Amino acid sequence: ETGVTQSPTHLIKTRGQQVTLRCSSQSGHNTVSWYQQALGQGPQFIFQYYREEENGRGNFPPRFSGLQFPNYSSELNVNALELDDSALYLCASSLRDSSYEQYFGPGTRLTVT
Amino acid sequence: AQSVTQLDSQVPVFEEAPVELRCNYSSSVSVYLFWYVQYPNQGLQLLLKYLSGSTLVKGINGFEAEFNKSQTSFHLRKPSVHISDTAEYFCAVILRQGAQKLVFGQGTRLTINP
Protein backbone atom coordinates (compact mmCIF):
# COMPACT_ATOMS: atom_id res chain seq x y z
CA GLU A 1 0.00 0.00 0.00
CA THR A 2 1.50 3.32 -1.12
CA GLY A 3 1.26 6.20 1.32
CA VAL A 4 0.61 9.86 0.62
CA THR A 5 3.43 11.57 -1.24
CA GLN A 6 4.04 15.27 -1.83
CA SER A 7 6.36 17.23 -4.07
CA PRO A 8 8.52 19.17 -3.88
CA THR A 9 9.82 18.76 -0.34
CA HIS A 10 11.11 22.33 -0.14
CA LEU A 11 10.94 25.41 -2.28
CA ILE A 12 11.72 29.08 -2.05
CA LYS A 13 9.66 31.72 -3.85
CA THR A 14 9.61 35.49 -3.99
CA ARG A 15 6.70 37.63 -2.85
CA GLY A 16 4.18 38.08 -5.67
CA GLN A 17 5.07 34.84 -7.44
CA GLN A 18 2.83 31.83 -7.94
CA VAL A 19 3.44 28.29 -6.70
CA THR A 20 2.01 24.82 -7.36
CA LEU A 21 2.31 22.00 -4.85
CA ARG A 22 1.46 18.40 -5.68
CA CYS A 23 0.01 15.47 -3.76
CA SER A 24 -0.57 11.82 -4.59
CA SER A 25 -3.22 10.08 -2.51
CA GLN A 26 -2.79 6.83 -0.65
CA SER A 27 -3.84 3.92 -2.83
CA GLY A 28 -7.65 3.59 -2.91
CA HIS A 29 -8.37 6.99 -1.34
CA ASN A 30 -10.68 9.32 -3.28
CA THR A 31 -10.67 12.45 -1.10
CA VAL A 32 -7.85 14.94 -0.60
CA SER A 33 -7.56 17.68 2.00
CA TRP A 34 -4.95 20.41 2.23
CA TYR A 35 -3.70 22.08 5.41
CA GLN A 36 -1.32 24.97 6.12
CA GLN A 37 0.93 24.69 9.16
CA ALA A 38 2.70 27.91 10.09
CA LEU A 39 5.78 27.64 12.28
CA GLY A 40 4.85 26.75 15.85
CA GLN A 41 1.17 26.34 15.05
CA GLY A 42 -1.28 23.53 14.46
CA PRO A 43 -2.38 22.80 10.90
CA GLN A 44 -5.21 24.91 9.47
CA PHE A 45 -7.69 23.46 6.96
CA ILE A 46 -7.50 25.05 3.50
CA PHE A 47 -9.93 22.93 1.45
CA GLN A 48 -10.99 19.42 0.53
CA TYR A 49 -11.56 17.84 -2.88
CA TYR A 50 -13.78 14.92 -3.85
CA ARG A 51 -14.64 13.84 -7.38
CA GLU A 52 -12.58 16.69 -8.75
CA GLU A 53 -14.72 19.31 -6.98
CA GLU A 54 -14.12 21.44 -3.91
CA ASN A 55 -16.00 19.89 -1.01
CA GLY A 56 -15.39 22.38 1.77
CA ARG A 57 -13.13 25.34 2.37
CA GLY A 58 -11.51 26.95 5.35
CA ASN A 59 -10.84 30.63 5.96
CA PHE A 60 -8.37 31.18 3.12
CA PRO A 61 -8.58 33.79 0.33
CA PRO A 62 -9.40 32.88 -3.28
CA ARG A 63 -5.75 33.11 -4.29
CA PHE A 64 -5.51 29.66 -2.72
CA SER A 65 -7.00 27.25 -5.25
CA GLY A 66 -6.84 23.56 -5.98
CA LEU A 67 -7.42 20.79 -8.43
CA GLN A 68 -8.11 17.10 -8.15
CA PHE A 69 -7.44 14.78 -11.07
CA PRO A 70 -9.24 11.57 -12.13
CA ASN A 71 -6.54 9.49 -10.45
CA TYR A 72 -7.33 11.39 -7.19
CA SER A 73 -4.01 13.21 -7.10
CA SER A 74 -4.24 16.89 -6.31
CA GLU A 75 -2.58 20.28 -6.69
CA LEU A 76 -2.59 23.32 -4.46
CA ASN A 77 -1.98 26.62 -6.24
CA VAL A 78 -1.19 29.86 -4.47
CA ASN A 79 -1.10 33.12 -6.44
CA ALA A 80 0.41 36.46 -5.46
CA LEU A 81 2.50 34.94 -2.69
CA GLU A 82 2.82 36.87 0.55
CA LEU A 83 5.45 36.52 3.25
CA ASP A 84 2.82 35.03 5.59
CA ASP A 85 2.31 32.16 3.15
CA SER A 86 5.60 30.71 4.37
CA ALA A 87 4.58 27.44 6.01
CA LEU A 88 4.53 23.66 5.80
CA TYR A 89 1.74 22.57 3.45
CA LEU A 90 0.28 19.19 4.28
CA CYS A 91 -1.86 17.00 2.09
CA ALA A 92 -4.09 14.31 3.58
CA SER A 93 -6.04 11.60 1.79
CA SER A 94 -9.08 9.65 2.93
CA LEU A 95 -12.08 7.70 1.74
CA ARG A 96 -15.22 9.77 1.17
CA ASP A 97 -17.32 7.58 3.45
CA SER A 98 -14.76 7.84 6.24
CA SER A 99 -13.22 11.23 5.56
CA TYR A 100 -12.72 11.71 9.28
CA GLU A 101 -9.75 9.33 9.06
CA GLN A 102 -7.12 11.30 7.17
CA TYR A 103 -3.62 10.13 6.35
CA PHE A 104 -0.98 12.80 5.92
CA GLY A 105 1.94 13.18 3.58
CA PRO A 106 5.36 14.52 4.64
CA GLY A 107 4.52 18.06 3.56
CA THR A 108 6.08 20.74 1.39
CA ARG A 109 8.03 23.49 3.14
CA LEU A 110 7.39 26.79 1.33
CA THR A 111 9.52 29.82 2.10
CA VAL A 112 8.48 33.19 0.66
CA THR A 113 11.14 35.90 0.65
CA ALA B 1 -17.66 25.94 15.46
CA GLN B 2 -15.21 23.57 17.05
CA SER B 3 -12.06 24.47 18.94
CA VAL B 4 -9.25 22.53 20.59
CA THR B 5 -7.07 23.72 23.44
CA GLN B 6 -3.87 21.98 24.35
CA LEU B 7 -3.13 23.19 27.82
CA ASP B 8 0.66 22.88 27.72
CA SER B 9 2.84 24.22 24.92
CA GLN B 10 5.88 22.36 26.21
CA VAL B 11 6.26 19.34 28.48
CA PRO B 12 9.75 18.26 29.61
CA VAL B 13 10.06 14.84 31.26
CA PHE B 14 12.82 12.44 32.15
CA GLU B 15 13.27 9.19 30.27
CA GLU B 16 11.17 6.31 31.66
CA ALA B 17 8.90 8.74 33.54
CA PRO B 18 5.14 8.84 32.87
CA VAL B 19 3.64 11.69 30.87
CA GLU B 20 0.22 13.22 30.28
CA LEU B 21 -0.52 15.71 27.50
CA ARG B 22 -3.76 17.56 28.06
CA CYS B 23 -6.41 18.38 25.50
CA ASN B 24 -9.80 20.03 25.87
CA TYR B 25 -12.26 20.64 23.07
CA SER B 26 -15.38 22.67 22.47
CA SER B 27 -18.16 21.68 20.09
CA SER B 28 -21.95 21.99 20.00
CA VAL B 29 -22.24 18.75 18.02
CA SER B 30 -20.69 15.31 18.31
CA VAL B 31 -17.11 14.92 17.17
CA TYR B 32 -14.49 12.28 16.68
CA LEU B 33 -11.18 12.85 18.48
CA PHE B 34 -7.61 12.20 17.42
CA TRP B 35 -4.03 12.52 18.54
CA TYR B 36 -1.31 12.98 15.91
CA VAL B 37 2.47 13.04 16.36
CA GLN B 38 4.88 15.08 14.27
CA TYR B 39 8.57 14.25 14.37
CA PRO B 40 11.03 16.98 13.30
CA ASN B 41 10.75 17.86 9.61
CA GLN B 42 8.05 15.28 9.00
CA GLY B 43 4.30 15.14 8.40
CA LEU B 44 1.64 14.00 10.86
CA GLN B 45 1.26 10.41 11.99
CA LEU B 46 -1.94 9.16 13.59
CA LEU B 47 -1.31 7.96 17.16
CA LEU B 48 -4.84 7.01 18.12
CA LYS B 49 -8.49 7.91 17.63
CA TYR B 50 -11.79 7.85 19.52
CA LEU B 51 -14.83 7.14 17.38
CA SER B 52 -17.21 5.39 19.80
CA GLY B 53 -17.34 2.67 22.43
CA SER B 54 -14.81 2.34 25.23
CA THR B 55 -13.60 5.72 26.40
CA LEU B 56 -10.06 4.41 26.86
CA VAL B 57 -8.34 4.01 23.53
CA LYS B 58 -4.92 2.55 22.89
CA GLY B 59 -2.66 3.67 20.11
CA ILE B 60 0.75 3.05 18.69
CA ASN B 61 4.06 3.33 20.56
CA GLY B 62 2.45 2.56 23.93
CA PHE B 63 0.26 5.68 24.05
CA GLU B 64 -3.32 5.73 25.26
CA ALA B 65 -5.98 8.39 25.71
CA GLU B 66 -9.19 8.71 27.66
CA PHE B 67 -12.30 10.46 26.36
CA ASN B 68 -14.22 12.31 29.06
CA LYS B 69 -17.46 13.68 27.67
CA SER B 70 -18.49 15.60 30.78
CA GLN B 71 -15.16 17.42 30.92
CA THR B 72 -14.82 17.58 27.11
CA SER B 73 -11.28 16.28 27.42
CA PHE B 74 -9.12 13.77 25.59
CA HIS B 75 -5.83 13.56 27.46
CA LEU B 76 -2.94 11.50 26.10
CA ARG B 77 -0.83 9.35 28.41
CA LYS B 78 2.17 7.07 28.34
CA PRO B 79 3.39 5.22 31.43
CA SER B 80 7.09 5.31 30.50
CA VAL B 81 8.56 7.55 27.82
CA HIS B 82 11.61 7.00 25.66
CA ILE B 83 14.00 9.42 24.02
CA SER B 84 12.41 8.56 20.67
CA ASP B 85 9.09 10.03 21.88
CA THR B 86 10.54 13.53 21.53
CA ALA B 87 8.17 15.20 19.08
CA GLU B 88 5.26 17.61 18.69
CA TYR B 89 1.85 16.19 19.59
CA PHE B 90 -1.42 17.51 18.20
CA CYS B 91 -4.93 16.89 19.44
CA ALA B 92 -7.66 17.24 16.80
CA VAL B 93 -11.42 16.92 16.37
CA ILE B 94 -13.67 16.43 13.37
CA LEU B 95 -17.45 16.51 13.02
CA ARG B 96 -19.20 13.13 13.05
CA GLN B 97 -21.65 14.37 10.40
CA GLY B 98 -20.39 15.94 7.19
CA ALA B 99 -16.80 15.36 8.20
CA GLN B 100 -14.45 17.53 6.22
CA LYS B 101 -11.87 19.38 8.20
CA LEU B 102 -9.77 18.39 11.15
CA VAL B 103 -9.52 21.17 13.72
CA PHE B 104 -6.19 21.04 15.51
CA GLY B 105 -4.86 22.38 18.77
CA GLN B 106 -1.69 24.44 18.90
CA GLY B 107 0.45 21.43 19.74
CA THR B 108 2.50 20.28 22.72
CA ARG B 109 6.24 19.83 22.39
CA LEU B 110 7.32 16.78 24.37
CA THR B 111 10.98 16.82 25.30
CA ILE B 112 12.56 13.75 26.89
CA ASN B 113 15.64 14.31 29.00
CA PRO B 114 18.06 11.44 29.66
Side-chain angles (χ1 to χ4, degrees):
Chain A
E1 185 177 87
T2 307
V4 180
T5 60
Q6 293 185 242
S7 62
T9 54
H10 299 85
L11 75 166
I12 300 174
K13 290 286 188 178
T14 303
R15 189 171 47 185
Q17 286 187 317
Q18 178 266 343
V19 69
T20 297
L21 311 181
R22 295 177 175 83
C23 171
S24 291
S25 301
Q26 182 166 311
S27 178
H29 285 182
N30 54 17
T31 302
V32 175
S33 305
W34 286 91
Y35 293 81
Q36 180 196 64
Q37 185 180 15
L39 198 62
Q41 304 292 318
Q44 299 284 322
F45 176 74
I46 303 174
F47 43 54
Q48 184 181 85
Y49 275 81
Y50 171 66
R51 286 189 175 180
E52 303 176 47
E53 292 192 0
E54 191 177 286
N55 185 45
R57 188 179 184 93
N59 189 26
F60 281 82
R63 60 189 185 84
F64 285 78
S65 63
L67 285 172
Q68 186 183 31
F69 301 99
N71 65 355
Y72 307 128
S73 66
S74 177
E75 288 182 354
L76 164 65
N77 299 288
V78 187
N79 294 321
L81 284 167
E82 300 177 359
L83 297 179
D84 284 349
D85 296 333
S86 295
L88 180 68
Y89 288 85
L90 296 164
C91 166
S93 74
S94 57
L95 287 169
R96 181 69 177 95
D97 292 342
S98 55
S99 59
Y100 52 83
E101 196 154 350
Q102 300 182 13
Y103 294 85
F104 285 81
T108 294
R109 173 74 63 187
L110 172 65
T111 302
V112 182
T113 62
Chain B
Q2 300 76 45
S3 66
V4 176
T5 302
Q6 291 184 239
L7 297 160
D8 305 292
S9 59
Q10 296 186 62
V11 173
V13 295
F14 287 106
E15 195 172 14
E16 298 183 7
V19 69
E20 178 180 81
L21 306 185
R22 298 180 294 167
C23 172
N24 285 93
Y25 70 95
S26 173
S27 177
S28 57
V29 296
S30 294
V31 295
Y32 296 127
L33 299 115
F34 303 83
W35 275 97
Y36 284 87
V37 60
Q38 186 174 39
Y39 298 104
N41 300 314
Q42 294 188 28
L44 299 175
Q45 181 181 4
L46 180 65
L47 267 181
L48 49 79
K49 59 182 183 277
Y50 174 76
L51 304 182
S52 64
S54 173
T55 57
L56 182 65
V57 292
K58 295 188 181 298
I60 62 171
N61 301 340
F63 284 93
E64 63 182 31
E66 186 154 21
F67 170 56
N68 188 317
K69 187 174 182 179
S70 63
Q71 297 185 7
T72 60
S73 67
F74 191 53
H75 301 333
L76 181 70
R77 302 185 182 100
K78 186 170 183 177
S80 176
V81 296
H82 189 266
I83 291 283
S84 60
D85 293 323
T86 297
E88 190 88 19
Y89 291 80
F90 293 95
C91 181
V93 301
I94 195 168
L95 293 177
R96 286 177 177 261
Q97 297 296 325
Q100 294 171 353
K101 64 174 184 178
L102 284 159
V103 176
F104 287 88
Q106 293 286 80
T108 297
R109 179 167 297 280
L110 178 61
T111 303
I112 313 299
N113 299 307

